[in-house]
Amino acid sequence: SDAGMLSLQVSCLCGSAPCLLCGCCPSAKNSTVSRLLFTFFLFLGTLVSIIMIIPGVEKELHKLPGFCEGSGSVLGVQTNIDCSSFLGHKAVYRMGFAMATFFFLFAVMMVCVRSSKDPRAAVQNGFWFFKFLVLVGITVGAFYIPDGAFTSVWFYFGVVGSFLFILIQLILLIDFAHSWSQLWLRNAGESNAKGWYAALCIITFIFYAMSIAAIVLLYVYYTKPQGCTEGKVLISINLILCLIVSAVSILPKIQDAQPHSGLLQASIITLYTIYVTWAALANVPIQTCNPTLLVRNSTSSAMATQPLTTWWDAPSIVGLIIFILCTLFISVRSSDHPQVNKLMLTEESVAGAGGEAAAVESGLHRAYDNEQDGVSYNYTFFHLCLLLAALYITMTLTNWYRPDESLQVLTSPWTAVWVKICSSWAGLLLYLWTLVAPLVLPDRDFS
């Protein structure tokens, strides 16, 4: 009956992940479905943020209460200033704050959940309709935050979170490259075909060729023969570091300890490092050394004559694509790379094989519970990853710009440059550690 169908739909919205899959979907793990749904919430918030920063929508944001008032209050004296030039910027910060708060709430709630038998696991894997309402409620509340010091304080939260998320992206890239290399080498071994080795070599060559081309373009566009010393030094340091990690990855001792480490992983890490370097140079606040520098001044009419897309630069668009791919990868990954699993606090549990068999036998297309004997990922760490992702996307959508002291111009600070560069160095050190760890700690089992 209609009443029965309605009650079933309601129970699915409020119940657990298993009944959220329709008949057309293959059977999937409960843990994977839950992660994908949380990631969907993050993408939904990101979409709202992108809409808010579109110039046409941004102009309408001044109608929101408390959004433009109070930003110019000096020593209690209210000054009437035009802050319409970065209303979208403020809106993205509030959306980022709401998403970060939502994931922080779940990170705290899910501390020390060991298996799906824990009552809190039901909250992690179910009640999606109520979770959505909580997210909407926090978002609405965030837009009532008075301006004051909120934007400048949240900028630093965003900077720290983004630094950590850039490292997480790099760890995921190491994991992805490792899985890719292992799969193709296994295929080559099984089929005894040289084609797989050739494909591996071609892909590696393409990644290195792209990296070299990118470095040349960075030298051409982000440096000048005279001046721009910072840019020249930063590009050169990262070029040398990438050469070092590439050389280390094919040393005979490293190869003996880790037969699957190779140039494919090093080429992907090199390309990612060059991207982070480009993103850092795009924040250098010197017009002559940075062709992508954007100046948004509320008193200037120059912005009105420029194309509307200029506010969103190329590094931000690439950053958004990498962000989407990495957050999806966090949701579906099941890795056999032991060091990456240690870093990401995940372990693929063998529990749930029975659930999968039962789902297949019954012919049901549903999510089965694969965490009765133990969780397959650390719930709290997963939510912290999404929290950092929310901070990272906040900074990416706002180009890491912040209002200056007058609160009328958005400027690109040196802070953004150094945070990105330091994250690229930390990332390369992390990759180097995954290579040398079996040699430095011979007593530890890395197999």
Side-chain angles (χ1 to χ4, degrees):
S1 69
D2 290 346
M5 280 297 290
L6 185 64
S7 67
L8 184 67
Q9 286 168 353
V10 170
S11 72
C12 272
L13 282 171
C14 309
S16 63
C19 64
L20 281 162
L21 283 184
C22 60
C24 57
C25 303
S27 294
K29 295 170 186 170
N30 202 12
S31 58
T32 306
V33 177
S34 295
R35 283 184 288 181
L36 281 169
L37 286 164
F38 273 113
T39 305
F40 170 73
F41 280 2
L42 178 67
F43 287 168
L44 201 65
T46 304
L47 183 66
V48 172
S49 298
I50 292 170
I51 291 167
M52 283 175 175
I53 213 160
I54 294 169
V57 178
E58 188 181 16
K59 289 186 178 69
E60 298 299 309
L61 290 173
H62 70 273
K63 293 174 184 171
L64 289 170
F67 220 49
C68 231
E69 303 104 41
S71 28
S73 98
V74 184
L75 300 172
V77 180
Q78 189 71 26
T79 55
N80 186 22
I81 66 157
D82 171 28
C83 67
S84 60
S85 66
F86 51 94
L87 279 174
H89 183 277
K90 291 182 180 185
V92 171
Y93 269 41
R94 279 160 176 75
M95 194 68 223
F97 174 79
M99 290 191 293
T101 306
F102 177 77
F103 292 120
F104 179 73
L105 196 71
F106 277 93
V108 171
M109 275 170 63
M110 298 300 156
V111 170
C112 295
V113 174
R114 301 271 179 244
S115 75
S116 61
K117 290 168 187 163
D118 190 309
R120 289 174 296 164
V123 178
Q124 169 80 2
N125 298 317
F127 303 101
W128 294 101
F129 179 67
F130 295 114
K131 285 178 194 168
F132 180 71
L133 290 183
V134 168
L135 181 59
V136 170
I138 294 171
T139 306
V140 171
F143 277 88
Y144 282 92
I145 297 171
D147 201 38
F150 173 78
T151 309
S152 48
V153 170
W154 197 244
F155 172 82
Y156 289 103
F157 274 95
V159 161
V160 174
S162 300
F163 174 85
L164 295 170
F165 191 71
I166 289 171
L167 291 186
I168 287 172
Q169 285 185 338
L170 189 114
I171 294 167
L172 292 168
L173 277 176
I174 295 170
D175 186 23
F176 173 71
H178 170 83
S179 304
W180 186 358
S181 172
Q182 208 168 30
L183 176 68
W184 281 17
L185 288 172
R186 196 186 303 128
N187 288 346
E190 286 171 3
S191 61
N192 208 13
K194 296 278 186 277
W196 290 106
Y197 291 115
L200 215 56
C201 292
I202 291 164
I203 293 288
T204 304
F205 173 77
I206 289 169
F207 284 146
Y208 273 121
M210 287 168 70
S211 300
I212 293 163
I215 287 167
V216 170
L217 290 171
L218 290 182
Y219 274 121
V220 171
Y221 287 102
Y222 289 89
T223 64
K224 292 278 182 286
Q226 273 75 43
C228 299
T229 316
E230 297 95 343
K232 289 174 190 167
V233 169
L234 295 177
I235 298 168
S236 303
I237 288 173
N238 277 4
L239 171 59
I240 293 162
L241 291 173
C242 288
L243 288 171
I244 290 169
V245 295
S246 298
V248 169
S249 71
I250 50 170
L251 289 174
K253 279 192 172 182
I254 299 287
Q255 289 288 307
D256 290 342
Q258 294 195 72
H260 290 293
S261 85
L263 282 176
L264 177 68
Q265 290 94 318
S267 68
I268 291 177
I269 301 311
T270 299
L271 191 58
Y272 181 70
T273 303
I274 302 305
Y275 156 70
V276 176
T277 311
W278 174 40
L281 294 173
N283 274 104
V284 171
I286 304 166
Q287 193 78 54
T288 52
C289 303
N290 182 3
T292 52
L293 189 70
L294 304 164
V295 180
R296 287 192 100 189
N297 190 331
S298 60
T299 56
S300 159
S301 59
M303 197 62 203
T305 57
Q306 289 180 0
L308 294 176
T309 50
T310 53
W311 176 226
W312 234 47
D313 59 2
S316 293
I317 294 165
V318 176
L320 178 69
I321 294 164
I322 294 172
F323 156 81
I324 290 169
L325 294 174
C326 281
T327 37
L328 280 173
F329 191 54
I330 290 173
S331 305
V332 297
R333 70 180 284 279
S334 56
S335 173
D336 58 357
H337 191 300
Q339 286 137 275
V340 172
N341 278 339
K342 278 189 177 71
L343 288 166
M344 294 295 289
L345 299 183
T346 48
E347 73 182 63
E348 239 351 84
S349 114
V350 288
E356 180 174 16
V360 171
E361 276 173 33
S362 64
L364 288 172
H365 297 286
R366 62 183 186 86
Y368 57 90
D369 186 359
N370 66 313
E371 298 184 304
Q372 287 177 346
D373 298 334
V375 294
S376 63
Y377 65 99
N378 184 305
Y379 288 177
T380 296
F381 184 74
F382 171 71
H383 288 299
L384 289 176
C385 283
L386 292 190
L387 187 158
L388 297 176
L391 294 173
Y392 172 79
I393 202 63
T394 300
M395 301 309 290
T396 303
L397 295 181
T398 56
N399 290 355
W400 297 61
Y401 284 28
R402 68 173 183 208
D404 66 353
E405 287 73 24
S406 70
L407 293 167
Q408 289 194 316
V409 187
L410 279 175
T411 58
S412 177
W414 274 106
T415 315
V417 180
W418 289 111
V419 166
K420 289 179 185 179
I421 286 294
C422 290
S423 68
S424 74
W425 294 341
L428 286 168
L429 282 172
L430 205 59
Y431 175 57
L432 203 60
W433 172 249
T434 65
L435 292 175
V436 301
L439 295 177
V440 177
L441 305 168
D443 301 331
R444 292 277 294 277
D445 179 24
F446 285 102
S447 62

